[in-house]
Amino acid sequence: MERLFDTRVRIVTGKGGVGKSLVALSLAIVAARRGKRVLFLETNPPESVTRFLGKPKLDGEPRLVYENLWMAGLIPSEAIREYALMTLKFKALYNAVFENRIVRYFLRAVPSLSEFVLLGKLWFHEGERSGDAPKYDLIVVDAPATGHLISWLRVPHVFDEMMPTGPLKKSARDMLDMLLDPKRTKLDIVTVPEEMPVNEAIEIAHAAMQHRLATRGLTFINRILPPLPDALVATLHAGLAGADGATQKRFAALERTVATREHWRQLGEEYLQRLPAADLKRAIRLAKRAVPIADEAAVMALAAELEAQL
Ligand SMILES: Nc1ncnc2c1ncn2[C@@H]1O[C@H](COP(=O)(O)OP(=O)(O)OP(=O)(O)O)[C@@H](O)[C@H]1O
Ligand SMILES: [Mg+2]
């Protein structure tokens, strides 16, 4: 479990479609079940993970979804408004500045402002306190896929370099302090045993160092094909070897399917060998289900499988 709680912010990324959202959600569920106060933040609310749970979509305000587990979406328009209110302090001033059409036009023209304020919102929640203790023990971010993730986490560097002084520079510095402190933030990577997702996992790990995005954390290998029992394959082959021609013909498709499946499984394992050996050794492996994960029970089963390996 220490591996999960060695930092307060976990940013979960990987190639599109590999299961980032489900892995991030599983991590949040596991931590909440262990009594931690958890905030799950998702960056693409139109595709909300709540669809897997049969719950309504998230909005910007954290909502208690399970015991100890709050969930919210990182929504650019809301975050820009909140950031302005926080920085400018007064609503009247916000209305004067941000509701002004010319200023709104300018804001839209500032590249990366929405990415910037989304990080600002993460930073805000990380600093939230309830009494003497942090409000959340763990914040799990269901982050964008590779390319977008890299440009997202580059944004505070750019603002820091660009701004000579002022509130945006201070915010950028605050964000970098959070992102670059291994005690505060880790970047977790999800992949699957296929060529492109493995390449992207390597690319993110490299970018994390080269561009100083954040410290690398956990590696998850999702959708692993469980090997067929040796006995089953051997029985099939032995049975067919001694069978008459008609029987062999009848079972030919089955034999081919088994062989193809095994071929794909081995190929997948070969792709995984490209990962740094240390990552591969410590990776958390999650089995591919026979049907896509689509309901609460399947999500809970994935969380249990993950928990057993922490
Ligand atoms: N271990 C698994 N077994 C079976 N199906 C899975 C598994 N993991 C994920 N899936 C399926 O893969 C699809 C993608 O999962 P998910 O939405 O978590 O990926 P993602 O990386 O967040 O995608 P996106 O890049 O679109 O945000 C889902 O439909 C889900 O049901
Ligand atoms: Mg997703």
Side-chain angles (χ1 to χ4, degrees):
M1 269 305 150
E2 254 167 53
R3 289 207 275 169
L4 177 53
F5 302 130
D6 65 351
T7 185
R8 285 192 40 238
V9 176
R10 307 214 73 98
I11 298 178
V12 181
T13 185
K15 188 184 183 305
V18 294
K20 298 179 295 298
S21 299
L22 280 166
V23 166
L25 180 60
S26 298
L27 280 175
I29 289 171
V30 167
R33 274 210 296 242
R34 293 283 170 129
K36 302 282 181 185
R37 294 163 64 88
V38 185
L39 175 62
F40 176 93
L41 290 174
E42 78 182 353
T43 50
N44 66 344
E47 274 285 306
S48 184
V49 288
T50 52
R51 73 187 188 279
F52 296 122
L53 304 172
K55 309 232 184 233
K57 279 185 185 170
L58 301 172
D59 46 33
E61 196 55 38
R63 179 197 313 157
L64 188 64
V65 176
Y66 294 108
E67 193 181 355
N68 291 326
L69 176 52
W70 285 259
M71 297 175 80
L74 290 175
I75 301 159
S77 56
E78 281 185 35
I80 287 187
R81 188 169 180 280
E82 284 169 17
Y83 176 77
L85 286 176
M86 243 164 34
T87 314
L88 303 174
K89 301 284 192 291
F90 299 105
K91 207 167 180 157
L93 195 57
Y94 167 83
N95 289 337
V97 176
F98 279 80
E99 298 297 330
N100 177 310
R101 272 184 56 210
I102 297 167
V103 174
R104 281 217 312 264
Y105 176 81
F106 167 74
L107 283 178
R108 248 178 279 144
V110 175
S112 315
L113 189 77
S114 50
E115 276 95 345
F116 186 76
V117 292
L118 292 188
L119 270 179
K121 185 149 169 131
L122 168 61
W123 176 84
F124 168 77
H125 286 304
E126 196 242 4
E128 262 188 304
R129 309 201 50 93
S130 119
D132 283 343
K135 183 162 182 189
Y136 302 107
D137 303 308
L138 187 73
I139 300 179
V140 183
V141 184
D142 175 13
T146 316
H148 190 184
L149 183 277
I150 294 171
S151 50
W152 188 38
L153 298 187
R154 281 289 301 149
V155 166
H157 288 278
V158 174
F159 275 60
D160 180 38
E161 285 156 21
M162 212 168 63
M163 305 284 168
T165 168
L168 286 180
K169 184 172 186 91
K170 181 177 180 309
S171 297
R173 279 287 169 85
D174 288 340
M175 291 169 195
L176 290 173
D177 285 346
M178 174 186 76
L179 290 172
L180 301 179
D181 182 347
K183 291 201 192 75
R184 290 171 74 185
T185 303
K186 289 264 169 64
L187 186 64
D188 298 330
I189 300 178
V190 185
T191 190
V192 295
E194 289 167 27
E195 186 167 22
M196 293 309 289
V198 168
N199 289 347
E200 288 202 16
I202 295 166
E203 185 189 340
I204 301 162
H206 185 248
M209 279 212 301
Q210 195 190 15
H211 299 300
R212 297 179 58 235
L213 305 179
T215 311
R216 277 280 291 108
L218 306 167
T219 302
F220 296 90
I221 304 170
N222 187 25
R223 292 211 289 259
I224 291 191
L225 270 180
L228 293 173
D230 286 345
L232 185 145
V233 179
T235 309
L236 179 69
H237 286 307
L240 286 179
D244 56 69
T247 308
Q248 283 185 347
K249 212 167 163 191
R250 201 143 56 89
F251 286 96
L254 177 64
E255 201 178 16
R256 261 202 317 276
T257 307
V258 167
T260 307
R261 184 186 187 284
E262 187 53 17
H263 172 71
W264 280 113
R265 196 185 67 76
Q266 277 169 12
L267 205 58
E269 287 298 325
E270 279 167 34
Y271 291 133
L272 291 177
Q273 297 305 316
R274 296 183 190 172
L275 293 171
D279 287 352
L280 186 58
K281 188 160 164 262
R282 295 179 51 113
I284 292 162
R285 298 169 81 101
L286 301 163
K288 180 176 174 137
R289 273 59 181 160
V291 290
I293 293 171
D295 61 21
E296 195 181 26
V299 172
M300 294 301 165
L302 190 75
E305 188 182 357
L306 192 155
E307 184 171 19
Q309 295 174 67
L310 278 170

